[in-house]
Each structure stands twice: as structure tokens, then as C-alpha cells.
Amino acid sequence: MDNETLLRVILLTPLVAAVVSAFFFRRSRVIAPVISVTAAGVILFASLALLLGLEPANPTASATLPGFALGGFTELETIGLSVDKNGAAMLFVVTFVAFWIHVFSVGYMDDDKARGRFFAGLSVFMFSILGIILANNLFMTFIFWELVGFSSYMLIAHYWNTDYAAMASKKAFIANRVGDLGFLVGIILCYAQYGTTNFAELEALIKSGEMTVTSIGLLLMCGFLGKSAQFPLHVWLTDAMAGPTPVSALIHAATMVAAGVFFMVRIFFLLTPEVLTTMLWLCAGMAALGGLCALGQTDIKKSLAYSTLSHLGFMGAAIGLGLPEIALLHMAMHAFFKATLFLCSGSVIHACHHEQDMTKMGGLLKKMPITAAAFIVAGLSICAFPWMAGWYSKDMILSGAYLAGNIPAFVALVVAAIGTTLYTGRMFAMVFLGNAHGHGAEHAKESSVWMTLPLIVLGVIFSLGAGWFLAGTNGISWLGGKMNALFPTVATEAFAHGYHDLHDKLAAAGLVAPMFILGVVILVVGLGLAVVFYRTATGEDKLREYSPTLYKALEYRYMDTLYAWYIEKVQQRFAMLVAMLDTALVNMLAMRGVVAGVPAILGSVSRRFVQNGNGSISVFWIALGALAVAAALVSGVLS
Amino acid sequence: MNCGSSLLQVAVAAPLVAALVMAFSKWLPCAAKKAVAGVGFVVPALAALALCYAFPCAEKIGGYAFYSSCETIGVPSLGIWLQFGLNGISLPLFLMATIVGLAAGLRAIATKGVAQGGLYYAVTLVMFGGVLGVFSAIDVFSFYIFHEFALIPTFVAILLWGGYARKTTAITMAIYLTLGAMVSLAGLFALYFAGAGAGEYGFSFLGVAQAVAGGIVLDGNVSVIFALLLFGFGILVSLFPFYSWAPDTYSVAPTPISMLHAGVLKKFGLYGLIQLGALALPLGLADWQNWIIWLALGNIVLIGLITMVQKDLKQMVSYSSVMHMGPIFLGIAAFAISGGDTAGLGGAVVLMFAHGLSVALLFHLGQSVYDRTGTYDMTKMGGLTAKAPVLAAFFVAATMASIGLPGFANFWGELTIFTSLAQIQPTWLLGAIVLSIVISAIYGLRAVAKIFYGKNTGAALSDEAFENVRDITTAERVPAIVLFAALVAVGFVPSLITKNIDATLKADFAPAAKELCADCDSVPAETDVDTIILEGSIPVEVPADNCEACGGNAEQVVLAKNITVSVDGAVGNPGDFVLSGDDATLLKVLEQAEVDEEATFVVVLRVRARIPVDIEELRNGDVDDIPLEDGDKISVE
């Protein structure tokens, strides 16, 4: 198959799968998962075929689908699909992680009655995220951006009969829409400004000296803030954990939330220094905040969600520092280890009969050895253990901040890094060490092979090895240079260069060794402290015992409280006020008073002529009156 | 007279004939009544599909396919006689009308225990015939008459089969809509007596457009006539603040009537504003564009807020339908705002098509919810998904369509309209307008969550009654599928309707666009260009980029008079320069501005164009000198 066909297959396969299983196999327990997993497999193979077939030097491919045009709006006349070096990296990460999470879901959802809906939802999500990756202009990005939000909404609402999921799904969709408001306005202004929204054409325009505009960059950034859950729109992500765990792993950790980062990397050339600075502060702050607040959660998934917020903050900060390649690198590495951590939590939750409270777990190390091993590997990776995936990307962002001379940002990121080691160690100690504190944990057994195999593949192999290709000079390559360690070479094109560049700069500044030592110190101190401090016999969170005030601060309810206050006390009251004014002024005064007053007068007149006082007569009188007015107006016009 | 035009006539006549048959309903058994009514509802839909298929290749007169004209009905000597036909704008709306009519009809037939069933069907059928007439009539007179024809059954239906406070509501609505109809009639009269309609096509859309373009109506009158049409039609379309009739009417009326009125009949005014207002009176539209913007903003923001606090499902859907008129009005106004770009009009037509289907679907499903819970009060429901998952799925889909999710037709309409408003002044208004995507998401998802998520609250249904709730029946499912399929088909393949719309817009609206463009030439519009492109630089008068539509014309006009350009960068004498005739070239300006010795490079920036030039090459004559245009910004490096 040629590249065009492959691109169309990649985009349309999940759509077909979703439609078929939603309409025909809604109730089936077996067929819908089979269709969905097969579709994910087909996409993975098609993507690999596409990526391995591309020229590493110039990794681009494109295809078109028919669109529409109206008047001067011709931007969607053909719907263009394309892959460039950034897209290639994202495509590989998404299709690979997604396939294994699909496999995991088969095991995780084995006791769920609505599997058909769940797997159809996963396929809709695949369609949407692939659309974002393959989109070649801003309008198309927006289309799939919205669809991703929708699939996220549907999957969060999977357990619709709980009030929490109902609230969380709504919150996620609306928070995303608030971001999309700015995003759409930005797209429209960008189109008005440059006459195109095609990424390649825009980049060429900017390169040829066209000016970049801060307002457009800031507006486009709103989309990122919503989708990647950065301040002040971050509140939806932690509640999004109401969805099934594979959804949290795929959508709310590895891919969808990373799409915001991917998008910002893609439009990096449009961003002015002001936009980058704004982004740096928002995201570095979020990194530190998320890293600390993960310590204040007892729900294992919520804790991981704060960790995701923190790491998305890292990526955003990297973009803000002017290192888009490093941001993309961290996005890819993060996808592997964070998906693994979520899947481990899923495996644990499933084994403990859907218990998510870490204080009720404990002692699972022996009962669930494979899960524990995967957790250790992925956990070390996220803590940037040397030569593991996170080490290459996360420590590079720290170094980048230091090199840029931005000490406040550097400090924020170091705090975030310390937070990472603390919450990872805490999680490990509370879940896997000590004794079982709950009924579920006492009876836990290792999960089925559907669930452990993805853990091994994603966790052990990729968290350990995804970074290898960057080690040394040029890493290990095979398949005639088409594969670079574990990545297709074209997919590493986007960040390998940036990584080596920064590494060289670091070496030139003589900072390689100090940064290495700093990383190791953070790792050892953080992990050690956490494991010693949180290893507990009672199951209670130690920090909550020692300092309830600090713990409460770390629970971080402030923004939720603020938004709840705004919605209930401001928005809702204002809406009520408008509705009341509507009833009082427009409905009663204007209508009953003025409009109905006329026929009332006419009606009283009419009663003298026609012995009928009911309302329908007055209708004819007002008609007559209006005709008279009309005649007057007409004669006025014509005179 | 050809096959297509007879098919069109059959489509319009079928419901009316079926309604006539209902006059004998006393002697007809129940099944026969239903069958006849069913035929009356199905035939137009099938005919419309066939017409859509035949349209691209059909022979067209003045852009109208399936043209037929009957001079015996009407007074040809006065320029008024019956003319039928469909162009690219009326075709999708006609199709939408038949689909909504089919769904509403099936809903009516499936309704159990209606008093006077025959009359009920007859009333619905007459209304249906009326709305089909509205969208297939070309002459203004029958266009208007068909509207009245469809409106009267609405009163009757509300009076006879309406819900709570039906009499008050019917009269309120009658007063409002009669007022609207009368004001718009005044506009039409004014147009007629001003001399429009004297041409070959009489007093038809085409005839009026030709006559006005020929300069028959005085410029001063154009604005007044447009205002009459705007506010007359505006009342009929529930333009802010003339909307109070709509929520009450829709929540009281029987569901099929709400579907037909909110979905189709209400589009009459918008259709009139496009086919008459924008087409024949573009300068009137330009005069009133700010009014439309602010009033439509009222529809979006204020009505949106009111929608958010509704507890009653049917009221909420009604208010949301009022709110969604805002973007459509803006799409029409965008024709003037953008200086003659027809994209906004196209988006308005697409959104009219989509909104008709989606609001009908919501009313239909709302009735299904009511049939199960016995209430429209959303706070008393909850957890309905457990018992009616398919109904829930349809409801979520309808909500998503109505809040403009990609994949449904509504999205393309909204997207095109928002994009066409890029030139709006001041720019922040664009943000306020796009706010509609947030507001509609808030109330839409709240409704879904209240009705279908969580657990049964027990307020409306006891646990026992809740257990007995059944999922959507076939009779409810068929209309839902029909509406859903149409929304998704256009959602995924928008070109199904946009091709025809665009062709008609290009062909018919070119003269109107030119008029708007000439307008923006004589009065240099303050576009957002300087605020966006040249932040922090000297504001210069930039001709609106939308003048592109006029092509060569605009350039000639510009070259003939003095132009102003600004120069900055490495020059001794930066600032604005007024140039005329032969002096308006780059080289001359650079001389005047005293370019520094070391400068090597100069860039000419104009709207949507950027011309980089090497100064050395320019001086040596290696590259041609560049003629400048008004508003050019030259920067020397």
C-alpha cells in the first residue's frame, strides 16, 4: 500500500470499528472488544508500515479527503492528512501505547456489562486523536480537538450511574470547551491574518519574515491549557479519574492530554517570546504544584493524575524555555512510563475489587509480583533513574532551565522533581509494602495475562529502554537503520537532534556532571525519604497523622471551591437575575403591557361593534391595527 | 413543465390533499386515516430526495431548477403570480422541511389517545404543506401566503391540543406573530410599491433583486425597507428582544407542532432575510449590521443564560432554539461585515438546515422522556439510562448536535459563520459570540446529566414505576433515526448540501457582494487589520481586504487617487507619505524617505501580501519597481 492509502487506513479504521460496534454489537460481550482491539492492531501495523517506509531525512507523507467550501471560506475544501517529523513521533507513541492499553482493557473490563459502549468509545477516541496527529491545518485540528473532548466525556461518564462520574464528565467537557473558546477565536484570527491555517504554509510565511502576533499565540495557547489541563483549567483532569482506569491511562495520561503539548510544538514558530514566557510560568508553576499535591491524595488514581499535571507542566515549561524538541521527547517518554503506572494502578484496583484508596491497600509486593515489578521499573523511570526513559527527558528540562539562566523556573522544576520522587516512593510504600489494610488487598491475586502482558511490554521494555537510543553517540539501530533502539528512526527524528544539541551545550558549559549528581541526589533522597516515611503499619497516611494542616493544603481543594463558588454564587445567580428580568421586563411589561395593551384598547372598542369579547377577536383587531401602521409606514417610505 | 417541476408540485400538494381527505374522517376507519396521513408525510420526503438527486443536472431558469409558473393564480398585470422552483439555498431547506415533517408526522400518527384524530392529522398536514410551500415558492406573494397558511394551523393546534395555559399562549403567540407578519408585510408592500417586481419575473426574489439592482428603489428607502423586513422577520424568528412568544409556544404546543414550528416554520424569516434582504438590499443590510450584531449577541448571551436556569426540559429546548437563532442572524450580517464574502450566508443556510433537524430531534426525544417519566421537570428525573439506554444514546447525540460537535451538520454551520465574522469590530465581540459554544455545552450537558445520569431521584417515578420503564419503541425510533441520519450524513459529508449552496451564492450574490464592496471602497472601513498585524505601529488606513472580491475594479479606483503609505525602519525620514499617480512606486518613496546607506532590504506589507525586495537590485533595475497601494507599510532593514 502506498502512503496515501496508509494514511486513510490509519484515520478511518477506528471510525469504522466504532460505528460497527456501536450499532451492531452494543450488547455483545466478545465481538466489540475483538473489533476494537483488532482495529488498534491494524492502526499500529499501518503506522509502522508508514513510518518504516518514510525517508528518515524527510519524513513527510500526505493524503486528502473531500471537504467543502462556502464563499470565501475555502480552508476545508480538501481535508488534508499529513505526517511530518513531529507527527511521526506522536503517531508511533499513540498507536503503540493505545494498542497495549486496548489489550489491557480486555482483561480490566471483563466484569463490565457495557463493554460494547466502552470499546466503541475507545475507537472513537482513537479516530479523534489520530485526526489531531494527521491534521494539516488548524481548522482540522480544531475538529478533532472537539471530538477528542467528546470521547473523553463519554468515557469518563462510563459509570454514569454514579453522581461523581456524571459531574466529572460534564466538568471535563465544559473546561475543555472554555479552552476551545479561545482556541477557536485564535484560529479564526490566524486565518484572517495570514490567509491560511495550513501548518507548512504558515511556517513558510513566518520564515519569510511575516510577523508573529502575541494575541494569536495566547489565544491558541488557551486550547493547550484546556486540553493539557494547565492552570487555570486544570481542575477537570483529577476528576476525570472517575472513568475506567484504562481510559485514565490512555486518554488522561498518555495521549489526549499530551496532544496539547504536541500541538504547541507544532505551532512553535507562531509563538512570540511573550507567549513563551506566559507558558513557562504557568507550566513550571503547575509542575511544582502538581508534584506536591500528589502527596495529598489517598486515591491512587488521583495521586497519579496530579503527577500527570506535574509532568504536563514539565513539557509546557520546556516549550516555554524554547526547547520544543525536549518537550516532545518528554511527551513520548512520559507516555510510556505514565501509561504503565496507570495500568499498574488498574491492575491493583482490579485485584482489590475496585478499591482505589491507598490506605486500604498494602503488602501487594508478594501477591502481585509482575505488577509490582512493572511499577518499580516505571516508577524509577518517572523519577529519572539514570539511563531510563525519564532520565533523558526530565533531567534535560531541568538542565535546560538552568542553562537558560532562569533560576526561578529551575527551582520550581527541581521542586517538581523532588515531588515526583516523593509521591512515587509514597505510592510504592503504601500499595506494595507493609501489610494489607483492606479486605480487597488481603484477597488480591496477580491479574490475568491480558493485563500483565501490556505491563511487561510498556513498562519493563519501554520504560527501561525507550531512552537508550539517545545514549552515547547514536544509539543502537537495526533493520537497516530503520529502527533506532525501540523507535522507528523517523519517529525519533524530531527530538534526537534537540536532545544532542542541548547535551552538547551542557557539555560545553561543563554542567553534565553537576546535573547528573543533582539528579541522583534528588532521586536517592526523595525515594529514600518517601519509602522510610510512608512505610506504615496502620495504613494511615503518615503526613495526615503528623500535620493535618499541611496535608489539607496538599489536598488542594481551593480551585474546585473557587469554581464551585463562581458557578453557584455568580454565574447561576446572574443567570437567574437575567431570567427574572426577562420575565419581569420583556415578558410582563413589554409584552403584556405594550403589545397586549393595544389589542386591549382595540378589543374594548371592538366589543361595541362585535358582540364578542373573547381574545381571538382582538387578534384580528391587532392585525388591522398593524396594517394601518404598515400603510402609514409605506406611505412614509414612498413619499 | 418537466418531470422535476411536477414532482415538486406533487410534494407540496400531497400533504394538502391528504388534509382534504381528513375532512371525510368521520367515515374513515382509524387505520385508513393513519395510512392517508402517512402518505401525506412520506411522499414529500421521497420526492425531496429525488429532487436533490436530480438538482445538479436539472435545467435551471435564473438559478432555479424545477421551475414552474402558473399565471392563472395571481394577477400577472400587477407582477404577482404563482412561481415554484428550488435553487441551491432553498433546496436544502426544502429537504430539511420534508425530513422534519416526516418525523413530526410519524410522531403525530404514533400519538395515542388524541381527541379528534382526523382533525389533528389534518392540522399537522396543512402546516406541513404550508412550510413546503414557503421554501419552494419563488414569488414573494406566495412565499408570504404559504407562511400564513402554515401559521394558522399552529394556533388551532395549540388551542385544541395544547398543554397548560393553552389559550393565553395561543393568543400571545398570535399577537406577536401577527405583529411580525404585519411589519414584514409592510416591508414587502413598501418594496412592491417602490417599484420592485416590474421585471420579467414579476414580484419574485429574482424580480426584486433585478429591479433593485437596476436602481429602481431610492437609496434612502432601501434602509427603511430593510429595517421593516429585519424587525418583522426578526419577530417571527424570535430575534432578541422579540422572543417571549417562542418558549411558551413551544412548550405548550403538541410536540409535532413544536417540531415543525421551531424546526422549519421559524426559518421562514431567516430565509426571507437571505433571499430578499441580503440578495436585493445589501446596502440595507450594511446599514443595519450593527443592530443585528448586538441583538444577536442578546440571543446568544442573555438567552443562553436564561436557558441555563431552566428546569423544564421542553422550556430549555425552546430557549435553546431561540439562542441558536443568534449565530444564524450573525451569519447573514457577516455578508456585510466581511464586505461581500458569502461564506457567512452559506454558513447560515447550513445552520438553518442543521438546527431544524436537531431541535426537532430534541423535541421528539423530550416527548419520549415525558412519556416515560410523566414530567418535564428535569430535577425530578435521573438515571434513565438504566432503563432506556437507546433513548439516552439518541438524546446525547441530539444534544451534541445542538451544541455543535463535529460530525453533526450544526458544526459546519457554526464554524463557517464564526470564521466569516473575523472582521467584526471591535474584535472582542468575536469572543463574546463564540461564547455560545461554552454556554450551549453547559445547559446541554446539564440536561443530559440530570435526566440520564446518576440515579432515579424518585420524585417523578417511584422505584417500582422506574423498573417498568421501557426503552424507546419502534414508532419513536424511526423518526429519531431519520433526523439523526440526516444530521450525521451532512456532518460527515458537508458537500452534500454546501456544493449547491455555494453555487447559488456565487451566481446570485455576486452583484450584491459588489455593491457592498463598492461601499467599503468609498468609506475606508476600519478593519481589524492594523490592530492585528501591526501591533504597536502607526495605525494606517488599510483598505478592507475583503475588497478582493471586486478584483481589478478596486485596484483601478485606488490607483486613480492619492494614496497613503507608511515607511519605517532604517530611514532618515520615517512616517506617512501621501503619494499620487506616478509617484506611487517603491523607489520614489524610498528616495523621499532618505534610506540609510547600510540598508539592504525592504519589505512591503499589505493585507495578505508581503513583498520582500533587495534595495541594491531595485536600484540597479534588476527587479521591477513596485507600484504601491493605499495603506502599504514599508519597512527598511
Side-chain angles (χ1 to χ4, degrees):
Chain A
M1 283 197 279
D2 57 349
N3 287 343
E4 281 190 27
T5 326
L6 280 173
L7 280 172
R8 290 195 192 114
V9 167
I10 293 171
L11 183 64
L12 298 178
T13 306
L15 179 64
V16 173
V19 169
V20 170
S21 43
F23 281 97
F24 304 111
F25 301 108
R26 205 165 37 82
R27 292 202 187 83
S28 110
R29 294 182 53 76
V30 181
I31 299 176
V34 169
I35 292 175
S36 196
V37 175
T38 314
V42 169
I43 302 163
L44 176 59
F45 272 103
S47 305
L48 281 176
L50 177 75
L51 294 176
L52 294 178
L54 290 178
E55 275 297 311
N58 179 27
T60 52
S62 59
T64 54
L65 293 169
F68 79 106
L70 274 173
F73 181 58
T74 51
E75 199 59 12
L76 291 170
E77 197 156 12
T78 55
I79 293 185
L81 311 174
S82 72
V83 171
D84 58 359
K85 60 182 173 37
N86 296 335
M90 183 83 178
L91 184 64
F92 174 73
V93 171
V94 166
T95 53
F96 192 86
V97 173
F99 173 74
W100 289 105
I101 292 179
H102 273 74
V103 173
F104 182 89
S105 307
V106 176
Y108 188 83
M109 302 301 283
D110 57 1
D111 51 358
D112 197 290
K113 278 184 192 141
R115 301 173 101 190
R117 176 157 48 87
F118 175 80
F119 279 99
L122 277 191
S123 290
V124 172
F125 170 73
M126 288 305 290
F127 170 65
S128 331
I129 188 84
L130 288 166
I132 291 185
I133 299 170
L134 300 179
N136 75 350
N137 70 37
L138 286 171
F139 281 107
M140 260 186 78
T141 307
F142 181 74
I143 292 170
F144 290 103
W145 199 259
E146 290 280 286
L147 284 175
V148 165
F150 165 72
S151 43
S152 155
Y153 165 79
M154 284 310 289
L155 287 165
I156 296 171
H158 183 77
Y159 303 119
W160 50 265
N161 51 3
T162 62
D163 289 334
Y164 181 52
M167 179 279 295
S169 58
K170 207 170 65 185
K171 191 172 177 182
F173 196 93
I174 292 170
N176 269 292
R177 275 249 158 158
V178 172
D180 292 350
L181 160 68
F183 189 41
L184 181 56
V185 174
I187 293 173
I188 293 170
L189 292 182
C190 180
Y191 183 52
Q193 164 84 42
Y194 301 108
T196 177
T197 59
N198 183 295
F199 294 121
E201 287 172 20
L202 278 176
E203 192 164 9
L205 272 178
I206 302 294
K207 274 198 179 133
S208 73
E210 192 86 37
M211 275 167 260
T212 51
V213 181
T214 304
S215 56
I216 292 180
L218 284 176
L219 285 166
L220 291 176
M221 188 183 73
C222 291
F224 159 79
L225 294 182
K227 198 72 39 183
S228 287
Q230 293 298 299
F231 191 85
L233 295 175
H234 58 285
V235 287
W236 68 269
L237 185 64
T238 44
D239 284 326
M241 299 300 132
T245 310
V247 170
S248 313
L250 178 62
I251 300 182
H252 304 120
T255 56
M256 178 182 103
V257 289
V261 176
F262 168 71
F263 172 73
M264 290 313 271
V265 172
R266 202 159 208 195
I267 58 156
F268 186 72
F269 52 84
L270 273 179
L271 305 178
T272 57
E274 291 81 12
V275 181
L276 291 180
T277 312
T278 316
M279 212 166 147
L280 175 63
W281 291 120
L282 285 176
C283 293
M286 196 70 236
L289 185 72
L292 293 177
C293 291
L295 292 170
Q297 319 298 324
T298 53
D299 183 318
I300 183 168
K301 283 173 72 183
K302 271 208 161 175
S303 189
L304 281 173
Y306 274 103
S307 154
T308 306
L309 284 181
S310 163
H311 281 265
L312 288 166
F314 266 107
M315 299 173 210
I319 297 175
L321 288 165
L323 302 167
E325 294 99 341
I326 306 294
L328 207 61
L329 174 65
H330 194 52
M331 188 279 295
M333 302 299 124
H334 175 260
F336 290 111
F337 56 66
K338 186 52 67 60
T340 315
L341 287 175
F342 262 111
L343 293 187
C344 286
S345 81
S347 175
V348 167
I349 291 168
H350 191 257
C352 297
H353 307 288
H354 294 276
E355 178 59 71
Q356 302 196 5
D357 191 339
M358 284 191 285
T359 59
K360 304 216 170 99
M361 297 175 182
L364 293 176
L365 184 61
K366 282 187 190 142
K367 287 175 188 149
M368 305 182 72
I370 302 177
T371 306
F375 190 95
I376 292 172
V377 173
L380 286 175
S381 185
I382 195 175
C383 296
F385 191 82
W387 298 288
M388 289 175 70
W391 183 73
Y392 289 97
S393 53
K394 201 174 79 177
D395 276 8
M396 265 307 166
I397 298 176
L398 286 180
S399 312
Y402 190 78
L403 261 187
N406 198 329
I407 298 307
F410 176 72
V411 170
L413 293 176
V414 167
V415 169
I418 296 172
T420 304
T421 55
L422 285 174
Y423 64 69
T424 313
R426 166 180 182 259
M427 213 177 284
F428 182 73
M430 289 179 81
V431 175
F432 292 102
L433 301 181
N435 305 316
H437 305 295
H439 178 76
E442 279 166 19
H443 298 273
K445 281 200 298 266
E446 183 58 276
S447 305
S448 70
V449 68
W450 286 107
M451 292 160 78
T452 49
L453 186 65
L455 285 180
I456 295 168
V457 174
L458 282 180
V460 179
I461 301 179
F462 271 83
S463 297
L464 261 182
W468 285 356
F469 65 92
L470 289 168
T473 48
N474 222 347
I476 316 143
S477 69
W478 45 292
L479 215 71
K482 295 264 183 205
M483 289 292 285
N484 199 341
L486 295 167
F487 275 55
T489 310
V490 287
T492 63
E493 202 66 19
F495 38 70
H497 177 71
Y499 175 84
H500 288 302
D501 217 33
L502 186 59
H503 196 270
D504 291 347
K505 274 188 201 156
L506 214 55
L511 283 171
V512 176
M515 282 296 162
F516 181 82
I517 293 165
L518 175 71
V520 173
V521 169
I522 292 175
L523 177 75
V524 173
V525 172
L527 273 184
L529 254 180
V531 173
V532 171
F533 182 69
Y534 281 109
R535 205 177 154 174
T536 160
T538 56
E540 183 46 45
D541 185 279
K542 279 282 176 65
L543 187 62
R544 191 152 63 182
E545 276 177 9
Y546 288 131
S547 170
T549 333
L550 180 59
Y551 185 84
K552 204 163 174 233
L554 290 180
E555 266 188 320
Y556 190 63
R557 297 261 166 81
Y558 310 110
M559 282 309 275
D560 280 329
T561 319
L562 179 68
Y563 282 130
W565 173 82
Y566 163 75
I567 289 168
E568 272 170 35
K569 297 282 153 70
V570 181
Q571 183 187 292
Q572 196 71 6
R573 282 191 183 175
F574 181 63
M576 295 287 256
L577 183 73
V578 173
M580 242 171 62
L581 287 178
D582 164 61
T583 317
L585 292 180
V586 182
N587 216 339
M588 300 306 286
L589 259 179
M591 200 177 80
R592 298 271 144 77
V594 181
V595 180
V598 177
I601 296 163
L602 287 172
S604 66
V605 176
S606 76
R607 247 175 250 131
R608 306 209 174 154
F609 297 100
V610 188
Q611 291 301 311
N612 188 341
N614 79 21
S616 57
I617 291 297
S618 67
V619 172
F620 295 105
W621 278 103
I622 179 125
L624 214 66
L627 260 182
V629 174
L633 282 169
V634 169
S635 57
V637 167
L638 298 174
S639 60
Chain B
M1 184 75 77
N2 56 33
C3 173
S5 58
S6 348
L7 195 58
L8 180 60
Q9 289 164 358
V10 167
V12 179
L16 300 177
V17 172
L20 267 184
V21 176
M22 289 300 154
F24 308 101
S25 62
K26 249 186 222 169
W27 298 283
L28 286 174
C30 187
K33 274 190 278 187
K34 286 190 175 178
V36 171
V39 170
F41 287 117
V42 172
V43 167
L46 296 178
L49 283 178
L51 290 174
C52 276
Y53 179 74
F55 182 83
C57 305
E59 184 197 347
K60 296 186 184 68
I61 296 172
Y64 284 87
F66 320 122
Y67 182 84
S68 62
S69 137
C70 175
E71 305 196 358
T72 48
I73 301 178
V75 191
S77 59
L78 296 178
I80 296 171
W81 71 94
L82 192 65
Q83 296 178 72
F84 270 132
L86 293 174
N87 69 2
I89 293 175
S90 51
L91 180 74
L93 297 174
F94 185 79
L95 176 67
M96 182 270 281
T98 62
I99 295 173
V100 173
L102 174 63
L106 293 179
R107 163 55 81 185
I109 292 172
T111 311
K112 286 186 186 116
V114 185
Q116 295 176 286
L119 188 57
Y120 187 53
Y121 303 148
V123 164
T124 317
L125 282 164
V126 170
M127 190 178 172
F128 185 35
V131 296
L132 293 182
V134 165
F135 292 115
S136 53
I138 310 178
D139 69 302
V140 178
F141 192 72
S142 10
F143 160 74
Y144 187 84
I145 292 295
F146 272 119
H147 172 253
E148 298 296 294
F149 206 67
L151 205 53
I152 292 163
T154 320
F155 305 140
V156 177
I158 293 176
L159 272 175
L160 291 181
W161 298 284
Y164 174 74
R166 55 178 182 253
K167 276 190 185 156
T168 326
T169 309
I171 287 170
T172 310
M173 177 206 181
I175 291 171
Y176 249 94
L177 295 190
T178 317
L179 190 68
M182 287 303 144
V183 175
S184 50
L185 187 62
L188 297 181
F189 274 147
L191 201 54
Y192 181 80
F193 288 115
E200 180 193 355
Y201 296 106
F203 193 50
S204 69
F205 297 139
L206 289 171
V208 173
Q210 277 179 348
V212 179
I216 280 184
V217 184
L218 293 175
D219 279 357
N221 288 347
V222 164
S223 184
V224 179
I225 295 174
F226 185 85
L228 286 173
L229 292 181
L230 172 64
F231 290 103
F233 287 144
I235 294 173
L236 298 177
V237 191
S238 61
L239 177 65
F240 187 86
F242 313 111
Y243 58 88
S244 306
W245 61 270
D248 290 344
T249 303
Y250 295 150
S251 44
V252 170
T255 297
I257 302 295
S258 300
M259 290 165 76
L260 269 174
H261 197 287
V264 192
L265 190 56
K266 197 155 82 164
K267 308 292 183 294
F268 161 82
L270 295 163
Y271 179 71
L273 276 181
I274 294 177
Q275 290 273 50
L276 262 181
L279 180 66
L281 309 165
L283 294 181
L285 180 65
D287 282 349
W288 288 91
Q289 60 179 4
N290 285 333
W291 281 80
I292 303 183
I293 291 170
W294 288 100
L295 294 182
L297 206 60
N299 273 58
I300 291 174
V301 178
L302 295 180
I303 305 293
L305 286 170
I306 297 174
T307 315
M308 277 201 290
V309 294
Q310 298 305 315
K311 291 195 176 81
D312 180 296
L313 173 60
K314 214 171 176 185
Q315 285 269 7
M316 190 210 82
V317 177
S318 311
Y319 270 109
S320 86
S321 93
V322 176
M323 172 191 170
H324 282 130
M325 295 303 109
I328 303 181
F329 274 109
L330 287 168
I332 297 171
F335 185 49
I337 295 169
S338 64
D341 182 0
T342 52
L345 289 174
V349 176
V350 174
L351 192 52
M352 282 156 75
F353 174 89
H355 177 262
L357 297 168
S358 65
V359 80
L361 185 55
L362 275 174
F363 274 123
H364 170 67
L365 297 170
Q367 176 74 46
S368 298
V369 170
Y370 178 84
D371 290 344
R372 279 158 186 77
T373 58
T375 178
Y376 275 118
D377 188 342
M378 291 188 284
T379 55
K380 293 184 178 166
M381 305 176 188
L384 214 54
T385 312
K387 289 288 147 193
V390 179
L391 177 60
F394 271 118
F395 196 92
V396 171
T399 308
M400 289 296 160
S402 121
I403 68 182
L405 189 78
F408 294 100
N410 309 53
F411 174 75
W412 302 116
E414 288 187 5
L415 183 71
T416 315
I417 290 172
F418 293 151
T419 309
S420 67
L421 289 169
Q423 321 287 345
I424 201 166
Q425 279 303 319
T427 312
W428 64 265
L429 274 179
L430 186 61
I433 290 162
V434 180
L435 200 59
S436 76
I437 69 169
V438 177
I439 295 177
S440 56
I442 292 176
Y443 64 70
L445 297 188
R446 266 190 196 168
V448 169
K450 273 185 195 150
I451 303 170
F452 290 102
Y453 295 166
K455 295 198 169 56
N456 180 27
T457 54
L461 290 172
S462 64
D463 287 343
E464 203 176 316
F466 187 73
E467 280 309 307
N468 292 330
V469 168
R470 293 277 163 270
D471 205 350
I472 193 167
T473 62
T474 313
E476 294 167 323
R477 198 183 288 232
V478 173
I481 288 178
V482 169
L483 293 168
F484 174 76
L487 279 169
V488 172
V490 175
F492 274 83
V493 193
S495 57
L496 283 177
I497 63 169
T498 54
K499 249 186 204 153
N500 297 330
I501 296 173
D502 200 36
T504 297
L505 288 175
K506 280 212 172 77
D508 289 9
F509 284 76
K514 215 167 246 174
E515 228 169 304
L516 285 171
C517 220
D519 186 50
C520 66
D521 241 345
S522 55
V523 188
E526 280 186 38
T527 62
D528 50 347
V529 176
D530 44 16
T531 52
I532 293 177
I533 300 187
L534 314 167
E535 269 183 350
S537 71
I538 317 147
V540 285
E541 282 196 348
V542 185
D545 51 332
N546 29 55
C547 280
E548 273 174 359
C550 291
N553 276 352
E555 253 166 54
Q556 283 165 12
V557 175
V558 168
L559 281 178
K561 59 182 186 182
N562 286 350
I563 63 167
T564 310
V565 301
S566 76
V567 182
D568 64 6
V571 292
N573 184 15
D576 285 3
F577 292 87
V578 180
L579 310 165
S580 64
D582 295 343
D583 283 334
T585 72
L586 185 56
L587 212 47
K588 296 258 169 66
V589 172
L590 292 180
E591 275 170 28
Q592 284 189 33
E594 301 162 14
V595 179
D596 289 1
E597 289 300 320
E598 59 268 28
T600 54
F601 195 67
V602 59
V603 180
V604 180
L605 271 177
R606 59 181 64 143
V607 180
R608 288 193 189 166
R610 180 185 175 280
I611 309 160
V613 188
D614 192 304
I615 294 179
E616 201 61 32
E617 286 177 5
L618 187 69
R619 285 191 179 131
N620 296 343
D622 291 345
V623 292
D624 291 339
D625 202 0
I626 294 165
L628 295 175
E629 288 173 14
D630 197 24
D632 280 351
K633 183 177 168 1
I634 298 155
S635 76
V636 183
E637 290 159 28

